[in-house]
Amino acid sequence: MIAFRQIIQEMAAEKLHLGLTILAIAWATVSIASMLAVGEGLRQGLIRTTSNGNGDLILLTGGFATLDYGNFSKGKQLNLKPDDVDLLRALPSLAQVEPSAVWSASVTYKDNGTWQQPLAVYPQYKNLTGLQIDSGGRWFNPLDIKEQRKVIVIGKSAAVSLFNEDDDFDWENMPDLESSPIGKQLKVGEEKFTVIGVLKSNPSNIENGIPIDYAVFVPFTTWLRFHVNPSLGAINIKPAAGVDREKAAASARQVIARKYGASTEDLQLLQAQDMLLRQKTMRQFLIGLQSFLGIIGLVTLAVAGIGIANVMYATVKRATRDIGIRMAVGARPGAIKLHYLIQAFITISIGGVIGLILTYALVQVLQNIPIQGSGFYDYLGQPTPELSFTIVSLVILALSVVGIAAAWFPARHAAAITPLEALQGE
Amino acid sequence: MSLVQLKDISKHYQSGDEHVYALDGVTLTIKKGEFLSILGPSGSGKSTLMNVLGCLDKPTAGFYQLDDHDVSSFSSKELAAVRNSKIGFVFQSFNLLEYATALENVMLPLVYAGVNLRKRRAKAAELLERVGLGDRMSHKPNQLSGGQKQRVAIARALVNDPQIILADEPTGALDSKSGAEIEALFSELHHEGRTLIVVTHDISLARRTKRIINIKDGKVVDDEILEPSSTIYHRREGD
Ligand SMILES: Nc1ncnc2c1ncn2[C@@H]1O[C@H](COP(=O)(O)OP(=O)(O)OP(=O)(O)O)[C@@H](O)[C@H]1O
Ligand SMILES: [Mg+2]
């Protein structure tokens, strides 16, 4: 019932207006799609950081007193001790309690060093933080702990910076390991350690923002062997399932504060950071951000829609005589309406496809921009924009709605002209 | 057997305080196969009558029956179907789509009749051959002379095998030679048995027709049937 050729011919006669409209739609599509893609990337990054690392843990750390209370005068430091862990493990609201300590010594292999100092942990730390070992290596076993062995497990990027040739090191584009470091000897301070495992690359963080990829681990007991009067870096706590996390954190603080005679009021002296709550706030912020970006895109699209409507009105006006001719030879009003709806649909499709292709290209470019090594970027889970199926569908839906709304009125206007009016309208 | 029956058809325009009766109580019967011309001074209502007959315009009052259908009660959608299947309209100003070829222009009514592309092409090509434009099918209107354009328009009017062909001053925009060709074409169509109604100022065209209706101030003032022997029967209003 519709002469497609003539739709195309009519469009060809409106090249300039049509071109501008297509441009506007493409631009709107790019802005809405890329904004949603960036938002989606951020959201996915956050999901990555929460599902791994310490994203669902409470991190208990000692700090400096800001109040005079009990054993503490202002400015005095509270150092957590290994036996604090036993007190916390007695609490039923806590499912898992793992200590970690920082060995203040540099890790070196020949002339190479690492960014992070070694973390001393027990084997259970691996499952608590979702670490995974690359094939060929292993994690600490009970014997390493019992015999206080000098073995070491290193993160992927730490391994690269230690064992790859210096010349090849490219901070922006982390290369793969050239050879397996398993069995090689490196130094922690002046002590020789044997590499037993390399971690799989993981964008998440542990402790207070240590990227897993740059972390270095030694057995907790080995660390104890070299330290008199050892103090912990942190205690990682996983609350029991279904427990109020804030209450669990409070009772943990209370137990430790009582032990040291510290004030539970002093939030600086004894800090319990709930990483999950922190991420939740972040996530809410990101959902807000994504909506905001989406709305900006939608407004742009609406403006493009007004553009479509205007061009369509102009086309209809210019084509009035042709509409009359069509009607005179038997086109029903519905066919005329469909004619212009199809025209709008073609315009929007061209604009939308161009826009999506451009967005795809843009996303590819953004995905390949290396931004590793920035703490905040790592903290966000190294987000890259993602043009997911959902986003593409959402954009197509938005385009269709705006397109139909924009084309509807000009098309209806065209269909409402009587044949005689249209023929004499010139 | 009457193809067209008009009873007291009026078309009334009002602009401000001014009332214009473009048609004022026209009653008319047209039989199948008639070849008739409508004459009258400028502004007498000829075009208005043709537009009503062609279902391009609706009368303000009166009854119009076409091929046993009461088209005066039809909706705009139904009227479109009538224009498509029963009426072929030829305009003074051709009214061709400028960016479409002759063939595409002729195919247009078939598009809205839902005919498939192959049949559309074949039928349109056949009719362009019929009007002597077999070698101009892919020309666009601006590459055709006035007479050729009008022949394209006639081919378009014929393509759906309409019951009635209406032509409003079809030779009005043409030089005398092209006009004569169009006149000859109309005569041929008449001899094929088609029903033709032509509005014209052109006496030579009117004389080819078999019946002449005179209109003045929206009223039929004279309706004469010309016999082949050129004997003229007058049927004055009220006879
Ligand atoms: N849309 C309109 N609004 C108001 N008056 C109109 C309209 N269309 C036609 N008329 C009037 O109706 C009358 C008949 O017009 P019509 O076009 O039918 O005349 P015509 O006989 O075809 O004249 P011509 O020989 O010049 O073509 C005229 O007086 C004209 O001014
Ligand atoms: Mg006229």
Side-chain angles (χ1 to χ4, degrees), chain A residues 1-3 5-7 9-10 13 319 321-333 335-336 339 418-421 423-424, chain B residues 13 51 55-57 76-77 80-81 83-84 91 93 95-101 104-105 108-109 111-114 121 140 156 160:
Chain A
M1 284 299 285
I2 281 295
R5 267 192 80 112
Q6 277 160 29
I7 293 176
Q9 283 164 335
E10 207 172 278
R321 202 180 69 100
D322 290 355
I323 294 170
I325 294 172
R326 282 175 215 290
M327 286 182 153
V329 301
R332 291 162 198 220
I336 299 294
H339 178 104
T418 72
L420 202 61
E421 273 170 12
L423 285 173
Q424 295 175 342
Chain B
Y13 292 109
N51 293 335
C55 294
L56 290 170
D57 203 2
S76 55
K77 198 170 144 187
R83 287 195 297 271
N84 186 242
F91 302 88
S93 55
N95 279 336
L96 300 175
L97 297 177
E98 285 303 320
Y99 45 75
T101 63
E104 284 164 352
N105 267 294
L108 196 61
V111 170
Y112 299 114
R121 271 225 182 91
K140 300 211 168 156
R156 183 181 64 188
N160 262 347

Side-chain angles (χ1 to χ4, degrees), chain A residues 53-64:
Chain A
N54 63 1
D56 60 346
L57 301 182
I58 295 169
L59 194 69
L60 198 66
T61 49
F64 295 91

Side-chain angles (χ1 to χ4, degrees), chain A residues 41 44-46 48-49 203-205 376-384:
Chain A
Q44 292 294 339
L46 204 68
R48 272 199 294 278
T49 58
S204 309
N205 290 346
F376 183 64
Y377 180 69
D378 289 336
Y379 175 69
L380 290 178
Q382 306 185 343
T384 51

Side-chain angles (χ1 to χ4, degrees), chain A residues 303-321:
Chain A
V303 172
I306 293 168
I308 300 173
N310 268 322
V311 171
M312 294 279 299
Y313 267 117
T315 310
V316 166
K317 199 165 161 46
R318 236 177 306 249
T320 301
R321 202 180 69 100

